[in-house]
Amino acid sequence: MTTIRHSVEATVSRMVLRTLRERAQVAGLPQARSDAPRALAALLDQLISTVLPFAELQRQAQAAIAAGIGCLVVPLEQAEAWVDATAGSGLRIGITTASREQAEHALRLGVSEIELLVPQSIMSEAEQFEAWLRANLPGSYDPKPLIKLNLTSCDQAQIGLRACAQAATHELDLVTVPVALVADVRRTINAAMGIKVNGVTELGQARDLLSAGCTRLETAVGWDLLAQAQPLLNDQ
């Protein structure tokens, strides 16, 4: 039974990532198609960096649902409120943490995406990095969350690529990497894994990254990106 469940979970993850890649192809086209803004929205991790008053939280949750945003990355202390505000909508709620304990606490609250921050100090040695992965990856949950591994603390390309290759052996869903590594990472990891970049601020940057192989983009200005995409659609 456990083997069957793991097989189903892996299939669901592959389906999610295949959908993201298809949407990335649409959103990354030089000429926006009619579904490009919606496709782009589905690939965004909209960062909510501060704790919000309840009324503002509800307003932003409804706006994100209406826009088709893929995931809201929220503060852990308000994760449960975001989960409740978006229940049944399909909008995913995520957190970023360096702690397995916090990750598992968030999963118990109903969070559906976890991004684990890897400390720079453990990345240079493959064995040390492997031990960290085994100690910090969350246990099995139902439904299976999307797990992202944030490798942006690494400032050496070869170490970063080796870490991505190791991460791929743990059936993680996405790796978050520096912009400069996107193309090399796409060639290094298997097609079942997604690639994410943080700090996206411009539509042109977003499309370049999607064309290079990204399947997720984290941004604090998701509404601005979608507003930039809309005039291109109106010009069709």
Side-chain angles (χ1 to χ4, degrees):
M1 183 65 69
T2 299
T3 301
I4 294 174
R5 191 183 75 177
H6 286 173
S7 177
V8 170
E9 290 173 349
T11 299
V12 170
S13 289
R14 286 195 297 271
M15 290 173 63
V16 169
L17 289 169
R18 184 167 64 247
T19 299
L20 290 177
R21 282 194 293 274
E22 290 169 353
R23 288 174 175 168
Q25 290 170 357
V26 173
L29 291 174
Q31 297 276 325
R33 283 170 31 179
S34 60
D35 48 354
R38 194 78 178 181
L40 176 61
L43 303 175
L44 297 182
D45 281 11
Q46 171 64 37
L47 180 63
I48 309 292
S49 58
T50 59
V51 172
L52 299 178
F54 182 71
E56 179 61 14
L57 183 155
Q58 291 277 6
R59 187 193 70 79
Q60 291 202 26
Q62 292 306 308
I65 293 168
I69 296 291
C71 178
L72 295 178
V73 182
V74 306
L76 175 60
E77 55 266 42
Q78 220 171 18
E80 188 171 17
W82 282 103
V83 169
D84 290 343
T86 57
S89 68
L91 174 59
R92 302 175 71 86
I93 302 299
I95 67 152
T96 300
T97 180
S99 160
R100 176 174 179 162
E101 290 73 22
Q102 286 188 350
E104 294 191 334
H105 173 61
L107 291 172
R108 289 192 292 271
L109 295 176
V111 165
S112 50
E113 300 199 5
I114 301 291
E115 183 156 342
L116 283 172
L117 292 165
V118 181
Q120 183 180 21
S121 59
I122 62 94
M123 292 184 64
S124 59
E125 297 293 333
E127 290 185 2
Q128 189 177 13
F129 179 55
E130 183 69 22
W132 187 92
L133 287 173
R134 294 184 182 280
N136 286 279
L137 290 176
S140 297
Y141 282 82
D142 187 17
K144 184 181 182 297
L146 260 69
I147 304 296
K148 314 166 194 173
L149 198 65
N150 189 311
L151 304 173
T152 56
S153 65
C154 180
D155 56 4
Q156 298 183 44
Q158 290 305 313
I159 292 176
L161 292 174
R162 188 260 300 153
C164 287
Q166 281 185 259
T169 67
H170 287 267
E171 297 184 355
L172 297 170
D173 297 291
L174 296 106
V175 287
T176 304
V177 300
V179 171
L181 287 185
V182 170
D184 288 337
V185 170
R186 182 73 282 165
R187 289 190 291 268
T188 299
I189 63 177
N190 63 60
M193 284 187 72
I195 300 173
K196 176 182 166 181
V197 164
N198 292 345
V200 177
T201 59
E202 298 290 338
L203 182 61
Q205 178 192 18
R207 288 193 168 153
D208 287 346
L209 289 167
L210 293 172
S211 296
C214 281
T215 52
R216 283 290 188 93
L217 307 172
E218 183 173 290
T219 179
V221 294
W223 313 118
D224 292 343
L225 294 179
L226 297 178
Q228 290 171 36
Q230 195 62 37
L232 296 178
L233 173 59
N234 293 338
D235 290 342
Q236 295 292 302

mmCIF file with all atom_site columns, all heavy atoms in Angstrom, residues 204-220:
data_model
loop_
_atom_site.group_PDB
_atom_site.id
_atom_site.type_symbol
_atom_site.label_atom_id
_atom_site.label_alt_id
_atom_site.label_comp_id
_atom_site.label_asym_id
_atom_site.label_entity_id
_atom_site.label_seq_id
_atom_site.pdbx_PDB_ins_code
_atom_site.Cartn_x
_atom_site.Cartn_y
_atom_site.Cartn_z
_atom_site.occupancy
_atom_site.B_iso_or_equiv
_atom_site.pdbx_formal_charge
_atom_site.auth_seq_id
_atom_site.auth_comp_id
_atom_site.auth_asym_id
_atom_site.auth_atom_id
_atom_site.pdbx_PDB_model_num
ATOM 1   N N   . GLY A 1 204 ? 9.888  41.422 -18.849 1.00 0.00 ? 204 GLY A N   1
ATOM 2   C CA  . GLY A 1 204 ? 10.912 40.910 -19.756 1.00 0.00 ? 204 GLY A CA  1
ATOM 3   C C   . GLY A 1 204 ? 11.827 39.918 -19.070 1.00 0.00 ? 204 GLY A C   1
ATOM 4   O O   . GLY A 1 204 ? 12.191 38.883 -19.641 1.00 0.00 ? 204 GLY A O   1
ATOM 5   N N   . GLN A 1 205 ? 12.207 40.225 -17.834 1.00 0.00 ? 205 GLN A N   1
ATOM 6   C CA  . GLN A 1 205 ? 13.035 39.302 -17.039 1.00 0.00 ? 205 GLN A CA  1
ATOM 7   C C   . GLN A 1 205 ? 12.295 37.993 -16.829 1.00 0.00 ? 205 GLN A C   1
ATOM 8   O O   . GLN A 1 205 ? 12.870 36.905 -16.959 1.00 0.00 ? 205 GLN A O   1
ATOM 9   C CB  . GLN A 1 205 ? 13.368 39.954 -15.697 1.00 0.00 ? 205 GLN A CB  1
ATOM 10  C CG  . GLN A 1 205 ? 14.188 39.073 -14.756 1.00 0.00 ? 205 GLN A CG  1
ATOM 11  C CD  . GLN A 1 205 ? 14.242 39.639 -13.342 1.00 0.00 ? 205 GLN A CD  1
ATOM 12  O OE1 . GLN A 1 205 ? 13.429 40.489 -12.972 1.00 0.00 ? 205 GLN A OE1 1
ATOM 13  N NE2 . GLN A 1 205 ? 15.212 39.179 -12.569 1.00 0.00 ? 205 GLN A NE2 1
ATOM 14  N N   . ALA A 1 206 ? 11.014 38.078 -16.513 1.00 0.00 ? 206 ALA A N   1
ATOM 15  C CA  . ALA A 1 206 ? 10.216 36.870 -16.279 1.00 0.00 ? 206 ALA A CA  1
ATOM 16  C C   . ALA A 1 206 ? 10.201 35.992 -17.522 1.00 0.00 ? 206 ALA A C   1
ATOM 17  O O   . ALA A 1 206 ? 10.409 34.772 -17.452 1.00 0.00 ? 206 ALA A O   1
ATOM 18  C CB  . ALA A 1 206 ? 8.794  37.249 -15.880 1.00 0.00 ? 206 ALA A CB  1
ATOM 19  N N   . ARG A 1 207 ? 9.989  36.574 -18.676 1.00 0.00 ? 207 ARG A N   1
ATOM 20  C CA  . ARG A 1 207 ? 9.900  35.787 -19.905 1.00 0.00 ? 207 ARG A CA  1
ATOM 21  C C   . ARG A 1 207 ? 11.254 35.192 -20.285 1.00 0.00 ? 207 ARG A C   1
ATOM 22  O O   . ARG A 1 207 ? 11.322 34.067 -20.777 1.00 0.00 ? 207 ARG A O   1
ATOM 23  C CB  . ARG A 1 207 ? 9.325  36.645 -21.023 1.00 0.00 ? 207 ARG A CB  1
ATOM 24  C CG  . ARG A 1 207 ? 7.842  36.899 -20.789 1.00 0.00 ? 207 ARG A CG  1
ATOM 25  C CD  . ARG A 1 207 ? 7.167  37.474 -21.991 1.00 0.00 ? 207 ARG A CD  1
ATOM 26  N NE  . ARG A 1 207 ? 5.720  37.403 -21.784 1.00 0.00 ? 207 ARG A NE  1
ATOM 27  C CZ  . ARG A 1 207 ? 4.855  38.230 -22.339 1.00 0.00 ? 207 ARG A CZ  1
ATOM 28  N NH1 . ARG A 1 207 ? 5.278  39.188 -23.128 1.00 0.00 ? 207 ARG A NH1 1
ATOM 29  N NH2 . ARG A 1 207 ? 3.567  38.099 -22.107 1.00 0.00 ? 207 ARG A NH2 1
ATOM 30  N N   . ASP A 1 208 ? 12.332 35.938 -20.042 1.00 0.00 ? 208 ASP A N   1
ATOM 31  C CA  . ASP A 1 208 ? 13.662 35.389 -20.311 1.00 0.00 ? 208 ASP A CA  1
ATOM 32  C C   . ASP A 1 208 ? 13.928 34.168 -19.435 1.00 0.00 ? 208 ASP A C   1
ATOM 33  O O   . ASP A 1 208 ? 14.483 33.158 -19.906 1.00 0.00 ? 208 ASP A O   1
ATOM 34  C CB  . ASP A 1 208 ? 14.733 36.448 -20.053 1.00 0.00 ? 208 ASP A CB  1
ATOM 35  C CG  . ASP A 1 208 ? 14.761 37.524 -21.129 1.00 0.00 ? 208 ASP A CG  1
ATOM 36  O OD1 . ASP A 1 208 ? 14.150 37.322 -22.196 1.00 0.00 ? 208 ASP A OD1 1
ATOM 37  O OD2 . ASP A 1 208 ? 15.386 38.580 -20.885 1.00 0.00 ? 208 ASP A OD2 1
ATOM 38  N N   . LEU A 1 209 ? 13.538 34.252 -18.179 1.00 0.00 ? 209 LEU A N   1
ATOM 39  C CA  . LEU A 1 209 ? 13.758 33.139 -17.254 1.00 0.00 ? 209 LEU A CA  1
ATOM 40  C C   . LEU A 1 209 ? 12.907 31.932 -17.631 1.00 0.00 ? 209 LEU A C   1
ATOM 41  O O   . LEU A 1 209 ? 13.358 30.788 -17.568 1.00 0.00 ? 209 LEU A O   1
ATOM 42  C CB  . LEU A 1 209 ? 13.460 33.580 -15.823 1.00 0.00 ? 209 LEU A CB  1
ATOM 43  C CG  . LEU A 1 209 ? 14.472 34.546 -15.213 1.00 0.00 ? 209 LEU A CG  1
ATOM 44  C CD1 . LEU A 1 209 ? 13.939 35.170 -13.928 1.00 0.00 ? 209 LEU A CD1 1
ATOM 45  C CD2 . LEU A 1 209 ? 15.797 33.833 -14.944 1.00 0.00 ? 209 LEU A CD2 1
ATOM 46  N N   . LEU A 1 210 ? 11.667 32.173 -18.031 1.00 0.00 ? 210 LEU A N   1
ATOM 47  C CA  . LEU A 1 210 ? 10.806 31.069 -18.447 1.00 0.00 ? 210 LEU A CA  1
ATOM 48  C C   . LEU A 1 210 ? 11.361 30.401 -19.702 1.00 0.00 ? 210 LEU A C   1
ATOM 49  O O   . LEU A 1 210 ? 11.352 29.178 -19.812 1.00 0.00 ? 210 LEU A O   1
ATOM 50  C CB  . LEU A 1 210 ? 9.387  31.578 -18.691 1.00 0.00 ? 210 LEU A CB  1
ATOM 51  C CG  . LEU A 1 210 ? 8.638  32.076 -17.449 1.00 0.00 ? 210 LEU A CG  1
ATOM 52  C CD1 . LEU A 1 210 ? 7.328  32.731 -17.851 1.00 0.00 ? 210 LEU A CD1 1
ATOM 53  C CD2 . LEU A 1 210 ? 8.394  30.948 -16.465 1.00 0.00 ? 210 LEU A CD2 1
ATOM 54  N N   . SER A 1 211 ? 11.862 31.202 -20.617 1.00 0.00 ? 211 SER A N   1
ATOM 55  C CA  . SER A 1 211 ? 12.447 30.648 -21.835 1.00 0.00 ? 211 SER A CA  1
ATOM 56  C C   . SER A 1 211 ? 13.702 29.836 -21.545 1.00 0.00 ? 211 SER A C   1
ATOM 57  O O   . SER A 1 211 ? 14.017 28.873 -22.254 1.00 0.00 ? 211 SER A O   1
ATOM 58  C CB  . SER A 1 211 ? 12.779 31.777 -22.820 1.00 0.00 ? 211 SER A CB  1
ATOM 59  O OG  . SER A 1 211 ? 11.615 32.441 -23.237 1.00 0.00 ? 211 SER A OG  1
ATOM 60  N N   . ALA A 1 212 ? 14.416 30.219 -20.460 1.00 0.00 ? 212 ALA A N   1
ATOM 61  C CA  . ALA A 1 212 ? 15.643 29.504 -20.088 1.00 0.00 ? 212 ALA A CA  1
ATOM 62  C C   . ALA A 1 212 ? 15.361 28.208 -19.341 1.00 0.00 ? 212 ALA A C   1
ATOM 63  O O   . ALA A 1 212 ? 16.275 27.408 -19.147 1.00 0.00 ? 212 ALA A O   1
ATOM 64  C CB  . ALA A 1 212 ? 16.530 30.410 -19.231 1.00 0.00 ? 212 ALA A CB  1
ATOM 65  N N   . GLY A 1 213 ? 14.115 27.994 -18.929 1.00 0.00 ? 213 GLY A N   1
ATOM 66  C CA  . GLY A 1 213 ? 13.784 26.734 -18.279 1.00 0.00 ? 213 GLY A CA  1
ATOM 67  C C   . GLY A 1 213 ? 13.157 26.840 -16.916 1.00 0.00 ? 213 GLY A C   1
ATOM 68  O O   . GLY A 1 213 ? 12.876 25.817 -16.284 1.00 0.00 ? 213 GLY A O   1
ATOM 69  N N   . CYS A 1 214 ? 12.918 28.048 -16.402 1.00 0.00 ? 214 CYS A N   1
ATOM 70  C CA  . CYS A 1 214 ? 12.250 28.188 -15.105 1.00 0.00 ? 214 CYS A CA  1
ATOM 71  C C   . CYS A 1 214 ? 10.792 27.742 -15.191 1.00 0.00 ? 214 CYS A C   1
ATOM 72  O O   . CYS A 1 214 ? 10.153 27.895 -16.236 1.00 0.00 ? 214 CYS A O   1
ATOM 73  C CB  . CYS A 1 214 ? 12.292 29.636 -14.636 1.00 0.00 ? 214 CYS A CB  1
ATOM 74  S SG  . CYS A 1 214 ? 13.856 30.146 -13.925 1.00 0.00 ? 214 CYS A SG  1
ATOM 75  N N   . THR A 1 215 ? 10.284 27.225 -14.078 1.00 0.00 ? 215 THR A N   1
ATOM 76  C CA  . THR A 1 215 ? 8.871  26.890 -14.006 1.00 0.00 ? 215 THR A CA  1
ATOM 77  C C   . THR A 1 215 ? 8.175  27.617 -12.870 1.00 0.00 ? 215 THR A C   1
ATOM 78  O O   . THR A 1 215 ? 6.954  27.505 -12.730 1.00 0.00 ? 215 THR A O   1
ATOM 79  C CB  . THR A 1 215 ? 8.673  25.372 -13.817 1.00 0.00 ? 215 THR A CB  1
ATOM 80  O OG1 . THR A 1 215 ? 9.461  24.929 -12.713 1.00 0.00 ? 215 THR A OG1 1
ATOM 81  C CG2 . THR A 1 215 ? 9.072  24.615 -15.056 1.00 0.00 ? 215 THR A CG2 1
ATOM 82  N N   . ARG A 1 216 ? 8.917  28.349 -12.056 1.00 0.00 ? 216 ARG A N   1
ATOM 83  C CA  . ARG A 1 216 ? 8.357  29.168 -10.980 1.00 0.00 ? 216 ARG A CA  1
ATOM 84  C C   . ARG A 1 216 ? 9.162  30.449 -10.857 1.00 0.00 ? 216 ARG A C   1
ATOM 85  O O   . ARG A 1 216 ? 10.385 30.433 -10.991 1.00 0.00 ? 216 ARG A O   1
ATOM 86  C CB  . ARG A 1 216 ? 8.400  28.439 -9.638  1.00 0.00 ? 216 ARG A CB  1
ATOM 87  C CG  . ARG A 1 216 ? 7.341  27.369 -9.447  1.00 0.00 ? 216 ARG A CG  1
ATOM 88  C CD  . ARG A 1 216 ? 5.942  27.978 -9.296  1.00 0.00 ? 216 ARG A CD  1
ATOM 89  N NE  . ARG A 1 216 ? 4.997  26.942 -8.934  1.00 0.00 ? 216 ARG A NE  1
ATOM 90  C CZ  . ARG A 1 216 ? 4.665  26.647 -7.679  1.00 0.00 ? 216 ARG A CZ  1
ATOM 91  N NH1 . ARG A 1 216 ? 5.196  27.314 -6.680  1.00 0.00 ? 216 ARG A NH1 1
ATOM 92  N NH2 . ARG A 1 216 ? 3.805  25.684 -7.432  1.00 0.00 ? 216 ARG A NH2 1
ATOM 93  N N   . LEU A 1 217 ? 8.466  31.547 -10.537 1.00 0.00 ? 217 LEU A N   1
ATOM 94  C CA  . LEU A 1 217 ? 9.099  32.844 -10.348 1.00 0.00 ? 217 LEU A CA  1
ATOM 95  C C   . LEU A 1 217 ? 8.552  33.453 -9.057  1.00 0.00 ? 217 LEU A C   1
ATOM 96  O O   . LEU A 1 217 ? 7.342  33.645 -8.941  1.00 0.00 ? 217 LEU A O   1
ATOM 97  C CB  . LEU A 1 217 ? 8.788  33.777 -11.520 1.00 0.00 ? 217 LEU A CB  1
ATOM 98  C CG  . LEU A 1 217 ? 9.093  33.263 -12.922 1.00 0.00 ? 217 LEU A CG  1
ATOM 99  C CD1 . LEU A 1 217 ? 8.538  34.226 -13.964 1.00 0.00 ? 217 LEU A CD1 1
ATOM 100 C CD2 . LEU A 1 217 ? 10.597 33.072 -13.117 1.00 0.00 ? 217 LEU A CD2 1
ATOM 101 N N   . GLU A 1 218 ? 9.436  33.734 -8.111  1.00 0.00 ? 218 GLU A N   1
ATOM 102 C CA  . GLU A 1 218 ? 8.977  34.421 -6.907  1.00 0.00 ? 218 GLU A CA  1
ATOM 103 C C   . GLU A 1 218 ? 9.145  35.923 -7.081  1.00 0.00 ? 218 GLU A C   1
ATOM 104 O O   . GLU A 1 218 ? 10.162 36.400 -7.582  1.00 0.00 ? 218 GLU A O   1
ATOM 105 C CB  . GLU A 1 218 ? 9.758  33.968 -5.673  1.00 0.00 ? 218 GLU A CB  1
ATOM 106 C CG  . GLU A 1 218 ? 9.227  34.635 -4.395  1.00 0.00 ? 218 GLU A CG  1
ATOM 107 C CD  . GLU A 1 218 ? 9.861  34.079 -3.123  1.00 0.00 ? 218 GLU A CD  1
ATOM 108 O OE1 . GLU A 1 218 ? 9.559  32.910 -2.800  1.00 0.00 ? 218 GLU A OE1 1
ATOM 109 O OE2 . GLU A 1 218 ? 10.644 34.813 -2.487  1.00 0.00 ? 218 GLU A OE2 1
ATOM 110 N N   . THR A 1 219 ? 8.137  36.664 -6.670  1.00 0.00 ? 219 THR A N   1
ATOM 111 C CA  . THR A 1 219 ? 8.146  38.104 -6.849  1.00 0.00 ? 219 THR A CA  1
ATOM 112 C C   . THR A 1 219 ? 7.346  38.765 -5.745  1.00 0.00 ? 219 THR A C   1
ATOM 113 O O   . THR A 1 219 ? 6.395  38.183 -5.214  1.00 0.00 ? 219 THR A O   1
ATOM 114 C CB  . THR A 1 219 ? 7.549  38.486 -8.217  1.00 0.00 ? 219 THR A CB  1
ATOM 115 O OG1 . THR A 1 219 ? 7.552  39.900 -8.346  1.00 0.00 ? 219 THR A OG1 1
ATOM 116 C CG2 . THR A 1 219 ? 6.122  37.958 -8.373  1.00 0.00 ? 219 THR A CG2 1
ATOM 117 N N   . ALA A 1 220 ? 7.736  39.978 -5.407  1.00 0.00 ? 220 ALA A N   1
ATOM 118 C CA  . ALA A 1 220 ? 6.941  40.796 -4.494  1.00 0.00 ? 220 ALA A CA  1
ATOM 119 C C   . ALA A 1 220 ? 6.000  41.715 -5.272  1.00 0.00 ? 220 ALA A C   1
ATOM 120 O O   . ALA A 1 220 ? 5.207  42.437 -4.663  1.00 0.00 ? 220 ALA A O   1
ATOM 121 C CB  . ALA A 1 220 ? 7.862  41.616 -3.590  1.00 0.00 ? 220 ALA A CB  1
#
